[in-house]
Amino acid sequence: MYSNEVVLHWLSEVIELTEPKDIVYLDGSEEEYKRLIREAIESSELIELNQDKLPGCFYHRSNVNDVARSENLTFICTDKKEDAGPTNNWMNPKEAYKKLSKLFKGSMRGRTMYVIPYLLGPKDSPFTKVGFEVTDSIYVALSMRIMTKVGQIAIECLGNSKDFVRGLHSKGDLDPNKRFICHFPNDTTIWSIGSDYGGNALLSKKCFSLRIASFIGKKEGWLAEHMMILGIENPQGDRKYIAAAFPSSCGKTNLAMLNLPEIFKKRGYKVWTVGDDIAWLRIGDDGRLWAVNPENGFFGVAPGTSMKSNPNAFKMIQKDTIFTNVALKKDLTVWWEGIGTDAPDDILDWKGDVFSKDSNTKAAHPNSRFTTPAKGCPIISDEWQNPNGVPISAILFGGRRAKLCPIVFEAFDFNHGVFMGATMASETTAAATGTVGTLRRDPMAMLPFCGYNMADYFSHWIDMGKKMSNPPKIYNVNWFRTDENGNYIWPGFGENFRIIKWILDRCHGDVSAIETKIGYVPSSSDVEFTGLSIDENIGKIIVDEDVLINKKVIEKFKELISIDENSWREEILSQDDFFNKFESLPLEIQEERLNLKNRLRIKELSKV
């Protein structure tokens, strides 16, 4: 099947190390898919769901100790520790290869090895990269078929080139004490053992498309980012595109598959999904930033996904989807918290136990997932496989900040926008193991995914800005601001389009803004409030399609764009703990910090 001598030599080394019983070379055919599904069902790796209600859907449970990314066991393996930087776990490459070789030795005895050639990015595109994943997990093999373009298409794209990412994965014995996810950027190699969870085991996902790709991008002059891509079409048929970086569970998938408010649908606005998680961005000949979604599927969080929160995603996952760690109903359909209905009787929880409604546990794991083809999204863009990508008008950074950040503010210029991204923070979620609910610094939502020193990463962003004659505007958004009682003020979800519209109008000079000490915020006269009202009981903005313009909503919106300067003074000083980790920061970042301190009249400068 393969004629590439570099691939064949690498595979022979892997086979000798892992000693599989059988070897299956994936070709990406439909016949192959059906055969793998049958085998997965027979081995109980998958449960076939109700094919009348959920055609093409299957259910998977992972080990109870293997339900999220293992960030503490994820390493960047470079010769010099400083090349990995202070925010990454580091291991010497020789030590890592030696340690993991012992774990991989004979790890596939009695098992089938699946060899998966895959493509990231559109076919025949300057963005596109080739990877191979070798795995002993049929769940991974099936998931990779959804998340990437697998088989002959990748082999033909690679040809005789040696430029491919080498990925070796084994479940091992799923012992957390023997679990490692190691990245070797200089070797374009990934070794992962001891986990079968998507973020650790689907090596195309965070491992290649972000950690390795970010390292490659720095060398080649492009960006690999943890960003969704969304197209907005106005009533005249013109499309503009935004890219947005949010930490997990901060609304990225909801924004990527935005459901427009009815008043905007009636006016002729449309939205188009290009990607929900990863963006590769290059500078075009026109001086603009162009982006592609390198993935072929969506690996989303199930809890909270419903017809109310994300109807496009909910419709999408009704077919051809693998559900992981959700609850299982008697009729072989699925359920999770936030699906929009109460938990039915006699369901099995994500561990396979009978679920008790009186218990304090969740029926679905908070990080339970769906893996589904992107082509099934009802609003997938006809440009999502464009080899040249789509031009980006605006970049959004955001997270969960209950009090500090206004609903939106615009950077003064590109460098200020990079500083805004570099100082992002949000409450932690279930997508990463560890404490939930604490404030976590997460620059550009890339803290767990940057494959090299983050100070150099900031420099790379600034260098990219210098090369763009027409850079995108940069914004910070915060859908999660709360009142004194802890209630969200803004309704969120589809109503976020009102803010997106203001952003795009700003990008093209159609509306004004109010200058503040942290950036530009919208004037209430430039945001559309038709169809919004106030819940008098809790003072929260709600959707009421019969309302034209409610003065109380306008007053409430002023609270959403208000800025407490004392809180911002505390915020900028609290960033020192993060920035002091770096031996050196780009001069431009230091200047932006100084400028903000001066605007806020902070006299005592930090060590940074």
Side-chain angles (χ1 to χ4, degrees):
M1 184 177 180
Y2 303 138
S3 59
N4 187 307
E5 292 297 328
V6 179
V7 172
L8 290 171
H9 178 72
W10 172 69
L11 286 176
S12 68
E13 291 180 334
V14 169
I15 292 167
E16 181 180 356
L17 176 63
T18 58
E19 304 175 27
K21 178 184 176 183
D22 300 300
I23 303 175
V24 173
Y25 296 88
L26 268 65
D27 60 21
S29 67
E30 186 62 25
E31 293 76 15
E32 173 186 80
Y33 177 72
K34 292 176 181 177
R35 186 185 74 247
L36 292 175
I37 286 289
R38 286 197 304 270
E39 293 174 5
I41 292 171
E42 290 170 2
S43 66
S44 300
E45 283 285 328
L46 293 182
I47 296 172
E48 186 175 30
L49 293 174
N50 188 320
Q51 295 300 293
D52 292 327
K53 296 181 178 180
L54 295 169
C57 293
F58 301 89
Y59 179 84
H60 173 74
R61 288 192 185 99
S62 67
N63 190 290
V64 295
N65 70 26
D66 188 30
V67 293
R69 293 191 316 270
S70 303
E71 292 180 13
N72 60 319
L73 302 172
T74 299
F75 294 86
I76 303 298
C77 304
T78 51
D79 291 335
K80 298 179 181 178
K81 187 175 182 179
E82 55 265 32
D83 290 340
T87 61
N88 283 315
N89 298 316
W90 174 81
M91 196 184 302
N92 179 276
K94 292 180 180 178
E95 177 190 345
Y97 280 130
K98 182 178 180 180
K99 182 190 292 282
L100 270 66
S101 290
K102 293 178 181 178
L103 298 174
F104 273 111
K105 183 63 178 173
S107 62
M108 297 189 189
R109 288 175 192 153
R111 299 179 181 177
T112 298
M113 169 188 283
Y114 302 92
V115 180
I116 311 168
Y118 64 92
L119 211 61
L120 286 178
K123 185 182 178 183
D124 301 325
S125 167
F127 288 89
T128 300
K129 299 291 182 182
V130 176
F132 274 77
E133 176 161 2
V134 174
T135 180
D136 56 8
S137 167
I138 196 169
Y139 167 72
V140 167
L142 286 164
S143 298
M144 287 290 289
R145 283 185 52 105
I146 295 173
M147 294 304 300
T148 66
K149 301 176 183 69
V150 164
Q152 196 64 27
I153 187 174
I155 295 169
E156 291 174 0
C157 181
L158 181 63
N160 291 319
S161 171
K162 60 182 180 181
D163 183 16
F164 64 96
V165 171
R166 300 145 177 82
L168 173 57
H169 167 258
S170 174
K171 295 182 292 185
D173 56 11
L174 297 177
D175 181 351
N177 295 314
K178 301 176 184 176
R179 181 175 297 160
F180 295 94
I181 303 95
C182 288
H183 305 72
F184 304 86
N186 292 305
D187 300 337
T188 57
T189 293
I190 308 158
W191 279 18
S192 172
I193 191 164
S195 172
D196 203 28
Y197 171 74
N200 301 327
L202 305 183
L203 301 188
S204 69
K205 191 64 186 154
K206 309 298 190 183
C207 297
F208 181 175
S209 63
L210 288 180
R211 296 189 189 101
I212 294 296
S214 64
F215 181 87
I216 295 172
K218 184 177 185 298
K219 289 196 301 180
E220 296 181 352
W222 51 279
L223 293 165
E225 296 298 324
H226 190 204
M227 290 181 173
M228 55 122 273
I229 310 168
L230 179 69
I232 309 294
E233 183 177 323
N234 68 16
Q236 291 73 45
D238 297 325
R239 289 191 196 179
K240 306 297 180 186
Y241 295 89
I242 63 170
F246 306 147
S248 184
S249 295
C250 287
K252 191 166 58 164
T253 300
N254 287 346
L255 184 59
M257 301 179 199
L258 188 82
N259 185 43
L260 280 173
E262 285 300 320
I263 63 166
F264 294 103
K265 290 180 183 178
K266 292 175 181 176
R267 294 178 189 176
Y269 285 93
K270 297 177 182 177
V271 295
W272 302 103
T273 301
V274 178
D276 81 319
D277 194 42
I278 311 290
W280 288 357
L281 306 107
R282 292 175 180 265
I283 301 172
D285 293 338
D286 58 1
R288 291 187 293 175
L289 199 59
W290 291 71
V292 298
N293 165 23
E295 298 188 296
N296 207 47
F298 301 133
F299 180 67
V301 176
T305 303
S306 68
M307 279 298 293
K308 179 182 178 182
S309 68
N310 194 334
N312 289 312
F314 196 77
K315 293 173 186 175
M316 175 181 65
I317 59 179
Q318 300 307 303
K319 63 179 182 178
D320 301 329
T321 299
I322 297 176
F323 295 97
T324 302
N325 293 339
V326 298
L328 188 62
K329 296 164 64 175
K330 273 196 306 185
D331 65 350
L332 293 179
T333 59
V334 292
W335 186 91
W336 51 77
E337 283 75 11
I339 200 171
T341 60
D342 293 334
D345 296 325
D346 301 325
I347 62 171
L348 300 180
D349 68 13
W350 67 276
K351 297 179 182 179
D353 300 325
V354 175
F355 178 67
S356 170
K357 296 180 183 180
D358 297 329
S359 69
N360 293 321
T361 61
K362 302 286 188 182
H365 189 275
N367 196 39
S368 55
R369 295 278 173 162
F370 56 78
T371 310
T372 196
K375 64 183 181 181
C377 177
I379 56 169
I380 194 70
S381 172
D382 56 7
E383 296 290 321
W384 85 286
Q385 288 295 299
N386 188 325
N388 297 316
V390 295
I392 301 300
S393 295
I395 290 175
L396 280 57
F397 295 122
R400 291 177 176 267
R401 298 303 299 264
K403 300 296 181 184
L404 183 76
C405 295
I407 191 169
V408 60
F409 62 102
E410 176 189 315
F412 293 122
D413 53 34
F414 191 84
N415 282 358
H416 181 223
V418 175
F419 172 72
M420 282 165 41
T423 54
M424 272 176 57
S426 187
E427 295 177 2
T428 53
T429 72
T433 52
T435 305
V436 175
T438 59
L439 191 67
R440 172 177 174 167
R441 296 283 165 196
D442 193 356
M444 284 81 163
M446 280 287 286
L447 187 71
F449 309 124
C450 185
Y452 59 101
N453 192 313
M454 217 154 198
D456 295 333
Y457 168 78
F458 299 148
S459 292
H460 181 43
W461 263 83
I462 290 165
D463 289 342
M464 290 283 289
K466 292 175 181 176
K467 297 173 184 176
M468 282 183 271
S469 58
N470 188 12
K473 288 183 177 289
I474 299 179
Y475 297 81
N476 184 282
V477 295
N478 176 30
W479 318 127
F480 304 100
R481 193 148 175 177
T482 61
D483 60 20
E484 62 276 7
N485 298 315
N487 298 311
Y488 293 127
I489 301 172
W490 183 248
F493 303 115
E495 303 307 320
N496 295 338
F497 177 74
R498 300 169 188 270
I499 304 302
I500 302 301
K501 183 178 180 299
W502 176 81
I503 287 172
L504 290 177
D505 287 343
R506 280 289 296 165
C507 289
H508 300 95
D510 295 333
V511 294
S512 61
I514 301 168
E515 183 174 345
T516 74
K517 293 179 180 178
I518 66 167
Y520 298 106
V521 299
S523 166
S524 57
S525 61
D526 290 321
V527 177
E528 175 67 75
F529 294 115
T530 302
L532 295 182
S533 185
I534 287 285
D535 183 326
E536 297 291 353
N537 293 322
I538 57 175
K540 175 181 177 178
I541 298 173
I542 60 172
V543 181
D544 186 346
E545 294 179 5
D546 295 328
V547 173
L548 294 178
I549 297 178
N550 189 319
K551 292 183 179 180
K552 290 185 178 180
V553 171
I554 296 174
E555 290 302 313
K556 200 69 177 177
F557 186 77
K558 291 179 180 178
E559 181 179 342
L560 283 169
I561 59 172
S562 65
I563 295 163
D564 184 331
E565 291 188 10
N566 286 330
S567 296
W568 273 94
R569 292 184 184 100
E570 293 175 5
E571 163 68 14
I572 194 169
L573 293 175
S574 74
Q575 296 164 6
D576 290 354
D577 287 341
F578 177 74
F579 281 131
N580 283 335
K581 294 178 180 179
F582 301 97
E583 291 185 5
S584 62
L585 283 170
L587 179 62
E588 292 84 352
I589 294 291
Q590 298 182 53
E591 288 177 344
E592 291 299 335
R593 280 177 59 77
L594 179 59
N595 291 341
L596 180 56
K597 286 182 174 183
N598 287 338
R599 290 194 298 269
L600 292 169
R601 298 179 182 177
I602 298 176
K603 296 181 180 179
E604 299 82 7
L605 298 183
S606 67
K607 298 177 183 177
V608 177

